[in-house]
Amino acid sequence: MTSVPSKLYSDDVSLVVVLLDTNPFFWTTSSSLSFSQFLSHVLAFVNSILLLNQLNQVVVIASGYNACDYIYDSSSDASQLGSEDGRMPSLYSNLLQKLEEFMIKDEKLGKEQSQRAIKSSLLSGSLSMALCYIQRVFRSGPLHPQPRILCLQGSPDGPEQYVAVMNAIFSAQRSMVPIDSCYVGAHNSAFLQQASYITGGVYVKPQHLDGLFQYLTTVFATDLHSRSFIQLPRPAGVDFRASCFCHKTTIDMGYICSVCLSIFCNHHKKCSTCGSVFGQAQSDTSSTSDLKRKAPET
């Protein structure tokens, strides 16, 4: 499938798709910043993006632990902006209302599940929705703004989402869509580090969450053209470790299927992904069907 020709408005017109982590398991137990404070920083940031250029567009996707959904699109609410004495009622009222409805639905889906709820948010689903929206924008008309994705994440990585997340990352790379990441959790996110590194985005883990709005405006409000001559922060290192397909755990060493490149922590007689039959492991622990892999030391 060939890529759609890109025709931009101008260098400084941006389409920012914000992935908002709404996982209650994180915000109620793990974060030193309350969700209401976090949301106030995000709303101010979204407002500043729209004020930088009248052609800028912002889309917000809520990422819960059972579902993800669109909760705000500035293009659909453009006719309402400034309708009440220059204020922007749509940005706050519509977003907050849809966010409340989404969180109620997400909580209801969690109660309906018989198994224990997943502690990580659906990053893979929200990334897929963001890329689908961007592809729709590419095909909507002759001109479009420069797209990028901003992940505002706090929940830990879900190893069971490894394949879906990596597929989304490579799709964004092929479409030349940078994935910026602002991680507010206790530890770094290997998924977001790889996403920003592979797609040419920016990864930041704020040291002081009280100044989150300052991090967002000074780093992530910068359009892609300006980034070519502005010195943005760079991560000290990137965690390239993968998750095995059998137990969904992060591993340093494992076996790789030579047919579909599935990763396993233990030797198997048959690949659970593509069905390929592995040969007997040799004394040097390598054969034509399976290879032993060690992650590079950082």
Side-chain angles (χ1 to χ4, degrees):
M1 180 178 178
T2 58
S3 301
V4 178
S6 179
K7 297 181 180 180
L8 307 178
Y9 277 117
S10 60
D11 293 332
D12 59 346
V13 180
S14 301
L15 164 61
V16 184
V17 183
V18 180
L19 309 186
L20 187 65
D21 188 0
T22 62
N23 191 346
F25 291 105
F26 169 75
W27 292 112
T28 57
T29 60
S30 304
S31 178
S32 59
L33 184 70
S34 66
F35 182 72
S36 59
Q37 293 174 329
F38 170 75
L39 189 59
S40 64
H41 290 295
V42 175
L43 288 175
F45 168 73
V46 171
N47 195 4
S48 64
I49 290 292
L50 296 175
L51 292 176
L52 284 174
N53 193 310
Q54 63 179 355
L55 296 177
N56 281 352
Q57 183 180 349
V58 176
V59 177
V60 181
I61 299 177
S63 179
Y65 63 98
N66 286 300
C68 48
D69 198 4
Y70 300 98
I71 61 174
Y72 179 73
D73 187 347
S74 62
S75 62
S76 61
D77 295 333
S79 60
Q80 303 179 23
L81 299 181
S83 59
E84 298 182 7
D85 301 328
R87 294 178 295 173
M88 302 177 67
S90 173
L91 174 60
Y92 299 101
S93 61
N94 291 356
L95 191 151
L96 293 177
Q97 180 181 357
K98 292 183 178 179
L99 178 61
E100 182 179 4
E101 294 174 355
F102 168 80
M103 297 184 71
I104 293 175
K105 180 183 69 174
D106 190 36
E107 183 179 1
K108 183 179 179 180
L109 290 174
K111 293 180 179 179
E112 294 176 354
Q113 290 184 349
S114 58
Q115 60 183 1
R116 185 174 61 90
I118 301 173
K119 301 300 182 181
S120 59
S121 60
L122 292 180
L123 176 62
S124 58
S126 56
L127 279 174
S128 300
M129 294 181 66
L131 291 172
C132 289
Y133 185 93
I134 291 174
Q135 289 297 322
R136 186 175 65 183
V137 171
F138 283 167
R139 292 167 169 80
S140 61
L143 296 176
H144 63 81
Q146 181 70 53
R148 66 180 187 269
I149 299 174
L150 172 60
C151 299
L152 300 177
Q153 190 83 3
S155 303
D157 295 336
E160 68 282 346
Q161 303 182 56
Y162 174 75
V163 177
V165 169
M166 293 307 298
N167 286 338
I169 292 174
F170 292 132
S171 297
Q173 181 190 35
R174 180 177 181 180
S175 301
M176 295 182 291
V177 177
I179 299 179
D180 296 331
S181 306
C182 181
Y183 189 72
V184 297
H187 305 284
N188 284 306
S189 169
F191 286 174
L192 295 182
Q193 283 182 335
Q194 295 183 45
S196 298
Y197 178 83
I198 294 174
T199 62
V202 180
Y203 176 89
V204 172
K205 186 179 182 302
Q207 299 298 322
H208 305 284
L209 295 181
D210 293 339
L212 179 60
F213 174 71
Q214 182 177 354
Y215 285 98
L216 294 176
T217 53
T218 55
V219 178
F220 301 109
T222 308
D223 59 84
L224 299 184
H225 175 68
S226 301
R227 293 185 183 188
S228 59
F229 50 83
I230 292 180
Q231 188 69 29
L232 295 176
R234 296 181 179 179
V238 181
D239 188 357
F240 288 105
R241 291 184 299 172
S243 298
C244 67
F245 286 30
C246 45
H247 299 92
K248 312 300 182 184
T249 57
T250 303
I251 58 175
D252 295 319
M253 183 179 297
Y255 294 88
I256 301 178
C257 174
S258 59
V259 178
C260 66
L261 302 182
S262 297
I263 303 171
F264 304 97
C265 57
N266 297 317
H267 182 270
H268 295 266
K269 296 181 179 179
K270 185 177 181 180
C271 178
S272 59
T273 303
C274 66
S276 299
V277 179
F278 297 150
Q280 295 294 328
Q282 304 297 328
S283 58
D284 59 352
T285 68
S286 66
S287 65
T288 59
S289 298
D290 53 84
L291 301 175
K292 197 170 185 180
R293 173 183 177 273
K294 183 178 181 180
E297 298 181 358
T298 56

